[in-house]
Amino acid sequence: MKYLVVLCDGMADTPNPALDGKTPMMLAKKPLMDGLAQKAEVGMCRTVADGLKPGSDVANLSVMGYDPLVCYTGRSPLEAASIGIDLKDTDVTLRCNIVTLSDEEKYEDKTMVDYCAGDISSAEAAEIIKTVEENLGNEIYRFFAGVSYRHCLVVDNGTTDLGEMTPPHDISGRVIGEYLSKSPNAAPLIDLMKRSYDLLKDHPVNLARRAKGLNEANSIWLWGEGTRPAVENFKQKNGVTGCVVSAVDLLKGIGKCAGMEVPEVAGATGYLDTDFEAKTDAGIDSFKRGTDLVYLHFEAPDECGHRGEVQNKVRAIEEIDRRVLGRILPYLENCGDDYRILIMPDHPTPLEIKTHSRTPVPFLLFDSRTAKTGVDCFTEENAAATGLFVEHGPDVMQMLLEKK
């Protein structure tokens, strides 16, 4: 038996006036996804338990079968694991975005223009983080470069009692002052953010981006604090081997912490320009080497939701259908093994609010051995109408593996 998860990050949404009152899932042309839904179990799943924030960390842990209430120690430590940082038990890590802020004189008066600094390239970002580490790093604070705008700060003997360290994608277009933590423990970190603006505003990378009319990477933004992860080995937990294919350090970090295969895929970006085919082929190659379960993660719908890119979010779903399912379904149909497929988002990222919500998400579970009576089209509304509801998010993995 082969098990495939196609995780469409942030795909679920709410009816949008710009789409004639439809959601991107309703409007997207996705014949392969809909074809599977017609013969699959379809329902809704609560991936974010009460009391937890609706982040991709918590939600993907749930879909992978882990209970975040038991194992979650913070977002950044999972990303640190992907980057290859060896954390001590006393280390605290934080996500270090590089962002675009407006140019008001007082830091608190600046606006969050762009949480991803124009989707800055990893090469440019590495130069920015190198400068930050050289000027702000010391025996307490160490900065590590990741992918695109996503980086990591490790604090020696740090604390996670920092008040509210707001994710930058939650405050796009807003003045940042009221979203800076007022906790005394966070004051040194807020100071690093303020100092980074003066350090980076005329950085050579930003001078070049300014000349091209691109958003500048003129400040770091710290959030997502946590301590060393405590994720159980996936094979020991489930009795099957696994592989995670993703462009982002968060998902790769979860995979590494779980002892799963985590291939590096050239051209994987986490946005619409990602190499969908290369990522799919990495999953197929893992299956060919004998891996039981492949978790294909695609960030593009989530990024489009954060950016309020209505048509691009529709396109992201269509690209997954055409370039991912269109490539891996023929392989599965001809590989000689039975297979089960789970397709779902981790959480909604509604275009209207440009951030995550904790609303339950639709899922479809297809089995090559048995045709179910599903739904005509895989949408939020149709999934809710079936009445099938998975209250405990981690149970969806147990359903896929036929253990529940």
Side-chain angles (χ1 to χ4, degrees):
M1 176 65 72
K2 287 179 168 59
Y3 303 97
L4 172 66
V5 179
V6 181
L7 197 291
C8 309
D9 202 300
M11 175 170 68
D13 213 302
T14 54
N16 193 289
L19 297 176
D20 295 325
K22 298 180 179 179
T23 69
M25 285 185 70
M26 294 170 68
L27 198 63
K29 295 179 176 64
K30 51 184 191 335
L32 298 176
M33 212 177 289
D34 291 341
L36 291 173
Q38 290 162 16
K39 298 172 285 187
E41 279 188 285
V42 179
M44 300 292 288
C45 177
R46 187 184 305 282
T47 57
V48 181
D50 290 342
L52 295 176
K53 296 179 182 178
S56 291
D57 42 12
V58 166
N60 275 280
L61 281 168
S62 289
V63 177
M64 287 188 181
Y66 294 98
D67 188 342
L69 290 170
V70 175
C71 71
Y72 181 64
T73 61
R75 177 187 185 112
S76 181
L78 298 168
E79 297 174 325
S82 175
I83 293 173
I85 303 170
D86 186 18
L87 295 176
K88 305 190 301 291
D89 290 338
T90 55
D91 285 336
V92 167
T93 69
L94 294 99
R95 160 70 84 84
C96 177
N97 274 49
I98 47 179
V99 303
T100 308
L101 299 180
S102 58
D103 61 0
E104 286 77 9
E105 182 175 354
K106 190 177 180 183
Y107 194 81
E108 289 82 356
D109 293 338
K110 298 180 187 298
T111 294
M112 182 62 66
V113 175
D114 189 347
Y115 69 89
C116 64
D119 208 25
I120 190 169
S121 72
S122 294
E124 291 173 299
E127 291 299 314
I128 293 287
I129 294 299
K130 179 182 178 182
T131 297
V132 171
E133 168 62 16
E134 289 174 347
N135 288 271
L136 302 181
N138 51 38
E139 66 277 4
I140 298 175
Y141 303 113
R142 293 178 293 147
F143 293 87
F144 296 85
V147 176
S148 184
Y149 62 89
R150 313 169 186 94
H151 309 282
C152 186
L153 167 65
V154 178
V155 183
D156 184 58
N157 288 310
T159 177
T160 56
D161 183 14
L162 298 173
E164 186 69 22
M165 302 294 284
T166 304
H169 52 256
D170 282 358
I171 55 172
S172 295
R174 301 182 193 177
V175 176
I176 66 174
E178 65 179 289
Y179 302 102
L180 298 173
S181 174
K182 306 304 187 290
S183 167
N185 290 338
L189 300 174
I190 303 301
D191 183 62
L192 288 175
M193 292 162 58
K194 292 178 178 180
R195 290 166 61 195
S196 76
Y197 183 86
D198 293 329
L199 177 66
L200 297 175
K201 62 182 179 180
D202 292 320
H203 190 280
V205 167
N206 284 326
L207 294 179
R209 291 181 68 81
R210 190 180 305 164
K212 296 175 184 176
L214 300 174
N215 283 348
E216 300 168 30
N218 58 20
S219 182
I220 63 170
W221 190 274
L222 303 172
W223 62 288
E225 63 277 6
T227 55
R228 190 171 179 169
V231 178
E232 187 178 353
N233 181 278
F234 188 82
K235 183 179 180 181
Q236 292 177 3
K237 174 178 170 60
N238 298 297
V240 297
T241 56
C243 169
V244 175
V245 182
S246 179
V248 298
D249 282 322
L250 171 61
L251 270 294
K252 291 191 285 186
I254 294 175
K256 289 182 178 180
C257 289
M260 302 168 81
E261 178 190 357
V262 184
E264 290 295 327
V265 181
T269 67
Y271 187 53
L272 271 173
D273 60 352
T274 198
D275 193 330
F276 290 95
E277 290 83 3
K279 292 179 69 176
T280 305
D281 286 346
I284 292 173
D285 289 344
S286 187
F287 274 139
K288 288 179 177 178
R289 289 193 301 275
T291 302
D292 300 310
L293 181 145
V294 170
Y295 194 98
L296 289 179
H297 172 265
F298 296 94
E299 181 83 354
D302 182 63
E303 287 288 340
C304 295
H306 284 308
R307 302 176 195 203
E309 296 174 353
V310 178
Q311 295 302 327
N312 275 346
K313 186 166 184 181
V314 174
R315 180 186 158 200
I317 299 168
E318 294 177 342
E319 296 285 80
I320 293 169
D321 193 80
R322 179 173 64 88
R323 299 170 64 182
V324 178
L325 293 179
R327 199 171 186 90
I328 202 166
L329 287 181
Y331 164 75
L332 291 172
E333 290 164 358
N334 294 288
C335 71
D337 294 331
D338 294 322
Y339 58 93
R340 289 167 66 81
I341 302 173
L342 173 66
I343 302 177
M344 63 187 296
D346 50 348
H347 53 67
T349 308
L351 290 155
E352 186 176 2
I353 62 174
K354 297 183 182 180
T355 191
H356 304 162
S357 81
R358 60 188 312 107
T359 306
V361 295
F363 72 90
L364 72 81
L365 180 52
F366 173 83
D367 189 319
S368 65
R369 301 165 299 179
T370 309
K372 303 284 186 178
T373 301
V375 297
D376 289 338
C377 181
F378 185 42
T379 66
E380 301 89 346
E381 183 178 24
N382 286 347
T386 68
L388 175 59
F389 188 78
V390 180
E391 174 64 36
H392 186 238
D395 288 348
V396 77
M397 177 58 70
Q398 299 305 304
M399 292 171 61
L400 173 65
L401 298 176
E402 299 182 276
K403 295 184 176 183
K404 199 174 187 70

